[in-house]
Amino acid sequence: MQQKESPASRHVRINALDGSGSFNAYLAVPASGSGPGLVLAQEIFGVNATMREVADYYAEEGYVVLVPDLFWRQQPDVELGYTPADWERAFGFYKGFDEALGVQDIQACLNALRQRPEVTDGKAGVLGFCLGGKLAYLAACRTDADAVVGYYGVGIEAALDEAERIRCPLTLHVAELDAFCPPEARQRIVQALGGRPGVAVHVYPGVDHAFARKGGDHFHRASALMAHERSIATLKSAIGPHFDLAALWDKHCEYEFATRNVDDTMATMVAEPYVNHIPTMTGGVGFSNLHAFYTNHFVNSNPPDTSLTPISRTVGASQVVDEMLFCFTHTTEIPWMLPGVRPTGRRVEIPLLAVVKFRGDKLYHEHIYWDQASVLVQVGLLDPALLPVAGVETARKLLDETLPSNELLKR
């Protein structure tokens, strides 16, 4: 399965540390042209399209990613899919794989990354999946990696005697239903590594091996998203990159609500972003759809007196969560919040929550939440006397916790 290389990606040669030759590695560089280094250790299917897509994904996060061909001593440039025949071939390569030499090849890639001009501060980590997940664990024990993340590594329980040699932050993601890591093996890993300083072992309930492989039979989006958030937190805390996410979000909001410039707003986002206003399911997925939505239904559709009052803000490794009051007078139609509702001239004050995810220094998505029933009460479309809903009181109690509680219970 072939995939065209982007202008920011290409193949490079890496010299083996034992002098036995050199091997190919896929290199993906962030749009900024520089960042911390990251070695991506493959699954048993070689450096296939899936691994290159993961590399490009982490380049978007700001890393200079190198994906070594770990099967090169058996057969160079293995690229397999996921058919039964490919699985059989993949297990053949896995059985013939020399683990110790694989870890040496990862060290060679760490060395090569640190020598590249694109890599900042000489920092480099390791990220691995499946076979690569086991190698990632071993890299934490045997290499000079600055941070390591491993997904559903196979056979880690057989190398727990090396745990005393772990020398960098390590995060492991374990699937509860993984037949390659049965309950007794999982328990040994958790007992041996849990509680060690700098080591985190996360078990994902109800999911199977390869739960983070998008498009795979066992892909579980919620678990994959949570695991990615934890992975990025581990990597950023140890090697970066460090972006002022709060300032980037503030600039995005300035373009949306102050200068009201769609192109400037889109420029703060990744190439294919998405926005989802949860209560009304308005927004857009992908650049063209979201640009059209912003142009026709959002940026120029908010009333002139619209204001956002910050209440609290939480900044994580890759996202910002803002709690705010969203206030306006309903003098214009607001398609994204009140689609099809003609202006009522009524005042609306509503608590609003924004969960804003970033990739690198660009917004990837926005999940926006508010109580639609409270909005409808305030514009006169719901009668609070007939339903268990509240109007402007929800906003006022957010600012003053001494206001009465449980008023609806008295009905």
Side-chain angles (χ1 to χ4, degrees), residues 191-266:
Q191 287 181 344
L193 301 179
R196 284 182 171 272
V199 178
V201 181
H202 301 286
V203 178
Y204 295 82
V207 301
D208 208 335
H209 187 82
F211 68 82
R213 188 199 299 142
K214 194 172 183 179
D217 291 340
H218 298 150
F219 178 65
H220 189 263
R221 182 172 174 80
S223 298
L225 289 172
M226 181 59 74
H228 181 69
E229 173 72 15
R230 289 165 169 164
S231 299
I232 289 296
T234 299
L235 295 172
K236 281 191 172 182
S237 64
I239 65 175
H242 303 292
F243 302 111
D244 189 344
L245 303 185
L248 294 168
W249 169 232
D250 286 340
K251 181 58 68 174
H252 177 85
C253 290
E254 177 187 331
Y255 293 144
E256 282 184 316
F257 294 101
T259 62
R260 301 199 179 200
N261 188 301
V262 173
D263 290 334
D264 287 347
T265 300
M266 296 298 299

Side-chain angles (χ1 to χ4, degrees), residues 176-392:
E176 182 190 34
L177 304 183
D178 191 345
F180 300 113
C181 185
E184 59 273 17
R186 182 175 72 245
Q187 189 61 27
R188 288 178 59 196
I189 293 169
V190 171
Q191 287 181 344
L193 301 179
R196 284 182 171 272
V199 178
V201 181
H202 301 286
V203 178
Y204 295 82
V207 301
D208 208 335
H209 187 82
F211 68 82
R213 188 199 299 142
K214 194 172 183 179
D217 291 340
H218 298 150
F219 178 65
H220 189 263
R221 182 172 174 80
S223 298
L225 289 172
M226 181 59 74
H228 181 69
E229 173 72 15
R230 289 165 169 164
S231 299
I232 289 296
T234 299
L235 295 172
K236 281 191 172 182
S237 64
I239 65 175
H242 303 292
F243 302 111
D244 189 344
L245 303 185
L248 294 168
W249 169 232
D250 286 340
K251 181 58 68 174
H252 177 85
C253 290
E254 177 187 331
Y255 293 144
E256 282 184 316
F257 294 101
T259 62
R260 301 199 179 200
N261 188 301
V262 173
D263 290 334
D264 287 347
T265 300
M266 296 298 299
T268 67
M269 310 186 86
V270 298
E272 294 296 321
Y274 79 88
V275 168
N276 183 11
H277 298 118
I278 306 297
T280 54
M281 297 187 294
T282 55
V285 178
F287 182 90
S288 59
N289 289 331
L290 186 55
H291 191 284
F293 170 76
Y294 275 149
T295 301
N296 300 317
H297 306 298
F298 187 84
V299 169
N300 298 304
S301 299
N302 293 303
D305 67 345
T306 297
S307 65
L308 287 75
T309 303
I311 302 297
S312 71
R313 171 172 286 178
T314 303
V315 181
S318 65
Q319 67 182 31
V320 174
V321 178
D322 256 4
E323 180 186 30
M324 65 188 83
L325 280 181
F326 185 77
C327 304
F328 60 90
T329 305
H330 190 210
T331 54
T332 63
E333 184 176 343
I334 309 173
W336 62 275
M337 179 176 273
L338 288 163
V341 179
R342 306 181 86 177
T344 62
R346 297 188 179 218
R347 180 71 177 167
V348 175
E349 299 177 16
I350 189 74
L352 184 144
L353 191 74
V355 181
V356 186
K357 178 77 80 175
F358 288 79
R359 283 189 189 165
D361 61 348
K362 299 287 188 181
L363 274 76
Y364 168 49
H365 74 60
E366 299 174 38
H367 294 168
I368 311 296
Y369 301 80
W370 68 86
D371 179 2
Q372 184 70 350
S374 183
V375 174
L376 296 175
V377 166
Q378 293 180 65
V379 297
L381 294 180
L382 276 184
D383 185 349
L386 301 176
L387 296 167
V389 296
V392 72

Side-chain angles (χ1 to χ4, degrees), residues 391-407:
V392 72
E393 297 85 3
T394 64
R396 292 174 180 167
K397 188 168 176 59
L398 180 62
L399 292 175
D400 183 0
E401 69 275 9
T402 66
L403 291 175
S405 298
N406 304 320
E407 292 297 293

Side-chain angles (χ1 to χ4, degrees), residues 27-50:
L27 176 69
V29 179
S32 65
S34 63
L38 186 64
V39 179
L40 173 57
Q42 66 182 58
E43 299 175 312
I44 62 174
F45 305 98
V47 186
N48 60 7
T50 298

